[in-house]
């Protein structure tokens, strides 16, 4: 990484930037690459999601055990999502019932 002289996006003064995501301006102490920083986080999240779906993807070369495990894990994950939705619905019904009870 090389040190570059760039204009601070916050105060407009010249400052030194080493190319890091968390480098701060020497004048106002603001982050120099707020844009890069959020993009880096986003990229990381997307890579994680890609890795996960790649893991669960059933390839033609997978054996029956591997296929079964992958199906099982994805079914389990869907079950978790459904349970959350179900929980939300039950809570909503309870709230409605409580509001319907007179007194
Ligand atoms: Zn600054």
């Amino acid at each position: 990484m090389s040190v570059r002289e760039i204009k601070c996006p916050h105060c407009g003064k010249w400052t030194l930037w080493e190319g890091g995501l968390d480098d701060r301006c020497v004048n106002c102490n603001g982050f120099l690459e707020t844009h890069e920083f959020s993009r880096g986080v986003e990229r990381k999240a997307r890579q994680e999601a890609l890795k996960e779906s790649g893991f669960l993807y059933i390839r033609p070369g997978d054996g029956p055990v591997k296929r079964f495990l992958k199906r099982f894990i994805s079914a389990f994950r869907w079950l978790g999502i459904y349970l959350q939705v179900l929980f939300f619905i039950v809570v909503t019904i309870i709230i409605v019932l409580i509001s319907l009870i007179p007194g």
Side-chain angles (χ1 to χ4, degrees):
M1 274 183 195
S2 58
V3 179
R4 270 199 287 160
E5 233 188 359
I6 62 157
K7 252 185 183 173
C8 171
H10 306 284
C11 63
K13 287 175 189 159
W14 288 98
T15 183
L16 294 173
W17 182 47
E18 289 176 59
L21 292 178
D22 48 12
D23 285 355
R24 287 164 186 267
C25 172
V26 292
N27 302 300
C28 69
N29 208 31
F31 281 113
L32 292 174
E33 275 293 337
T34 48
H35 199 70
E36 265 298 316
F37 185 74
S38 56
R39 232 194 305 171
V41 172
E42 196 190 303
R43 207 181 307 142
K44 211 178 162 192
R46 208 180 303 147
Q47 268 174 0
E48 285 292 311
L50 210 71
K51 212 196 293 169
E52 211 172 311
S53 62
F55 168 71
L56 288 175
Y57 177 73
I58 295 166
R59 289 170 191 82
D62 285 349
V65 178
K66 231 174 173 182
R67 268 167 202 261
F68 175 76
L69 273 176
K70 282 178 181 179
R71 284 224 182 91
F72 183 75
I73 292 167
S74 45
F76 200 73
R77 271 174 54 191
W78 276 110
L79 191 73
I81 294 164
Y82 283 137
L83 278 176
Q84 276 176 44
V85 173
L86 197 73
F87 179 76
F88 178 75
I89 291 167
V90 168
V91 168
T92 309
I93 289 168
I94 289 169
I95 290 168
V96 169
L97 281 178
I98 288 169
S99 69
L100 284 177
I101 295 168

